[in-house]
Structures are given as structure tokens and as C-alpha cells.
Amino acid sequence: MTPRSLRYAPHVAVFAVGYVTFTYSAVPGYVAARYGATITTVGLLMSAALLSFVLAQAVADRLASRWTTTQVLVGLVVAHAVLAVALDFAPSLASLLVLRALWGLAGGLLLSIGATHVARLHEGRAATRQQGVYGGMLTLGGAFGFLLAEPVVSLTGGFGVHALGAPLALPALAMLWPHRHGTRTAGTAASGGFRAVLANRVVLVAALCYVATIGAYITLSTFITSYFDDLGVTGPLNAVVLVTATAGRAVGGVVSARWGVSDARVVSLTTLVGALAFLGLLVDARLVALAGPLVAMIAVSLPFGAVYNLAAAATAQETAALAFVVAAGNVAAVVLPTLTGVVRARTGGYAAVFCVLAGLLVAASLAARQTR
């Protein structure tokens, strides 16, 4: 039987990744004041990490084929911890951008290799459930960062905004270390690599579904505060949204496993609900405007585990499949917030973006139906 420490270590590690990914976004004023940056420039810090998330996926399959996922995760957790601390010592904005990009390589690989680790230790609906919890831990780390960032800045003057990601990851290292010589989670190099994955229809559908859901999630996470500001509502809304996403991702995997709903059906139904939620936001009604974003966030979070498991189960090259899905989603995560900002600046609203997101989710829903 697989030790619990080995099964749950990726969940702990990805929590720390979520913290470092999002936490600085909670204190843009601090970053701007320390480095003399504009708020727009601060946005480049997120782009630097997310672009590295994409680039890192090119070597994920090779790493997971040469070593066990446990061994790869040990190295990635160490790299994450070292770079998280280094980020808070960056002397200039340029060096901070470089370090965020380097950290993004470790963080992006940790995300996909961790998902591969989960896929190799679990099968069927158990894998869907665990992938959902895994994704939930990523967003929970982000929520933790939003809640903790301001107190950290007040207490230390800024150290810990990134560096706290190091001690948060140490329990994962302790859980993985005793198993670093094992072969339990080893993979074998499969022929074809990414070319074979690109020829797999189910993996392509999973990538489309991830583009739609992660694009909607990132867009809502980025603009939810300004959206509610327009409605006269204030508060720690970024944290609320990420906690909502955490619950949605975890519950989605549990529902699939407990009720025997197929991954494809979960994805098809939830993305359709998400599309309807975004279209509902076009209705000029305050109750809809207030509740709609949270309904949409839950809907696009529920299929996280199902999408990952759909990709991993479709081919023997599960690492390449998951890496491709993660890369496609993070491209959307870079592009859609930028597009949203442009639309908001030119039109004064989000209607056009909501239509785009609804269209992507409808396409994902229809595509998922074809894999059932």
C-alpha cells in the first residue's frame, strides 16, 4: 500500500506554489513603492511566472521518464524554496522579474509533475477526486497568500511576501525524502512524446476545456475586486474567490467519485453552467450581478480534477498529456486578463469578455460530450 506521505506530498507542495504565485498581487502598493514600479508594471510579475509555467512543460515528460516523480518533486521543491527566498532579496525590478521567471520554471514543473504523481498513484474516479483536491490546494495557497500578505508586510516590511513559500513547502520535502530512492512512481519513456499527445483527440479536448475553465478562473480572480468596486462592494474579495474555487475543485472531484459521474459528463455539464452564468451577467439586475461571478467561479472550478484525469487517462504519456494541458491553459491565463484589461479600459465594462468566456465554455461543453 502506498504510504500516505507519498500520496499527499504533492498537495502540500502545490499549496506553496499557489502562495508564491498570487501573494504579491495582494500588495501591489508595496511592490510599486519598493521598486518604483507602476501598477501596470507590477502585472508583468504575474506574466513572467505564467509564461515560465508554459515554457517549463517542454521538459516535464523527459524528467518524469528519466526519474521517478518522487525524485523529480524533491528537486523541484528544493528549487522552489531557494528561489522563493531569493525573490524577497531582489534589489531591482529587473532582477525580480528574472527571479519570478526562474521560479515559474520550478513552479510550473511542480504543478504538472505533481499531477503526474497523483495520476500514477490513483486510478479511475479516485484519481479524479485526488486531482480535484490537488487543484484545490493550489487555489487555497493563493487565498492564504491574499489573506497573509498585508500582515506580513506590516510585520517585516516585506520579507516573506514570497519567502514564506519556502517553509510552507518544507513539509512536502519531509514527506517525499524517505521515498526518494524508490521506484514505486517511476514512469517509462513512451514513444512519440508530445507529437503522439497532439494526435490524441481526448487530450486536445481536455486542453480546450482547461483553456476555457482556467481562462475564466484567472479572469475572475484578476478583476473581481474592480468588478465589485463598480457595484460599491468592498472586502477581501480575491481571497473569497480563491476559497470558492478551492471548494469547487475539491467538491467536483468528490462528486465524480462518489456519484459515479464520468469525467466527460462532469466537464460537459459544469462548463455549460459556467457559460450560462457568464451570459447571465449581461442581465442588468443587481442580484444577478452580485451572485453571478461566484456561481461562475464554482462552475469553472468543479471540473478541474475531471479535466486532468481525462487527459492523464487518455494516453500512456500521462506526463506529456498533462504538461500540454497545463501549457495551453496558462497561455490563456496570460492572454485573457490582458484582453480583459483592454476591453475594460475601452468600453468601461466586461460584457464583451463575458461573451468570449461563455463562448469558450460552450465549446468546451460540446467537445466534452464527444468523448463520452
Side-chain angles (χ1 to χ4, degrees):
M1 184 177 179
T2 306
R4 286 188 177 183
S5 60
L6 197 59
R7 283 184 288 166
Y8 298 125
H11 298 61
V12 178
V14 85
F15 176 88
V17 170
Y19 174 84
V20 176
T21 301
F22 288 102
T23 188
Y24 87 93
S25 299
V27 284
Y30 156 73
V31 179
R34 176 173 176 179
Y35 296 104
T38 65
I39 297 299
T40 301
T41 305
V42 171
L44 291 174
L45 294 171
M46 179 65 83
S47 296
L50 292 179
L51 284 172
S52 289
F53 272 34
V54 175
L55 297 174
Q57 306 314 314
V59 298
D61 187 47
R62 186 174 302 175
L63 291 175
S65 297
R66 176 171 291 188
W67 295 285
T68 69
T69 50
T70 302
Q71 292 166 333
V72 178
L73 285 172
V74 166
L76 291 174
V77 170
V78 171
H80 153 85
V82 170
L83 288 167
V85 174
L87 279 162
D88 281 351
F89 287 103
S92 65
L93 180 62
S95 61
L96 182 61
L97 282 167
V98 170
L99 285 170
R100 279 281 292 187
L102 289 174
W103 173 84
L105 295 175
L109 282 171
L110 205 157
L111 177 60
S112 57
I113 297 296
T116 300
H117 185 90
V118 172
R120 290 180 180 176
L121 293 183
H122 302 276
E123 295 181 355
R125 293 190 173 92
T128 300
R129 181 177 66 251
Q130 289 301 324
Q131 295 287 16
V133 174
Y134 180 73
M137 291 299 288
L138 176 67
T139 56
L140 185 61
F144 186 78
F146 274 112
L147 292 173
L148 204 61
E150 288 190 2
V152 165
V153 170
S154 298
L155 183 65
T156 69
F159 183 78
V161 169
H162 292 99
L164 189 57
L168 289 176
L170 292 181
L173 184 61
M175 296 162 78
L176 292 164
W177 189 258
H179 309 286
R180 66 193 183 281
H181 298 305
T183 59
R184 186 189 306 272
T185 54
T188 56
S191 62
F194 280 101
R195 284 177 294 179
V197 164
L198 290 172
N200 189 301
R201 182 172 62 89
V202 176
V203 175
L204 294 178
V205 167
L208 170 61
C209 295
Y210 196 59
V211 164
T213 55
I214 203 70
Y217 156 73
I218 287 290
T219 301
L220 282 172
S221 300
T222 303
F223 290 94
I224 198 68
T225 299
S226 61
Y227 172 86
F228 277 117
D229 278 345
D230 293 343
L231 299 175
V233 179
T234 59
L237 294 165
N238 291 91
V240 170
V241 165
L242 289 176
V243 168
T244 301
T246 298
R249 291 183 177 191
V251 169
V254 171
V255 166
S256 175
R258 184 166 296 177
W259 292 358
V261 184
S262 70
D263 291 329
R265 189 170 182 81
V266 168
V267 174
S268 180
L269 290 175
T270 54
T271 50
L272 181 58
V273 171
L276 293 174
F278 277 110
L279 291 176
L281 289 171
L282 302 178
V283 177
D284 187 14
R286 185 170 177 83
L287 180 60
V288 174
L290 291 173
L294 296 181
V295 173
M297 179 58 83
I298 292 173
V300 301
S301 299
L302 285 169
F304 183 94
V307 170
Y308 268 34
N309 198 44
L310 200 63
T315 173
Q317 298 116 321
E318 73 270 84
T319 305
L322 287 166
F324 175 69
V325 168
V326 169
N330 278 285
V331 169
V334 172
V335 172
L336 283 171
T338 303
L339 173 65
T340 303
V342 172
V343 170
R344 176 68 175 81
R346 293 188 177 182
T347 68
Y350 302 96
V353 174
F354 292 156
C355 288
V356 169
L357 294 174
L360 283 172
L361 289 165
V362 168
S365 180
L366 294 174
R369 285 178 178 272
Q370 306 307 310
T371 68
R372 287 164 54 183

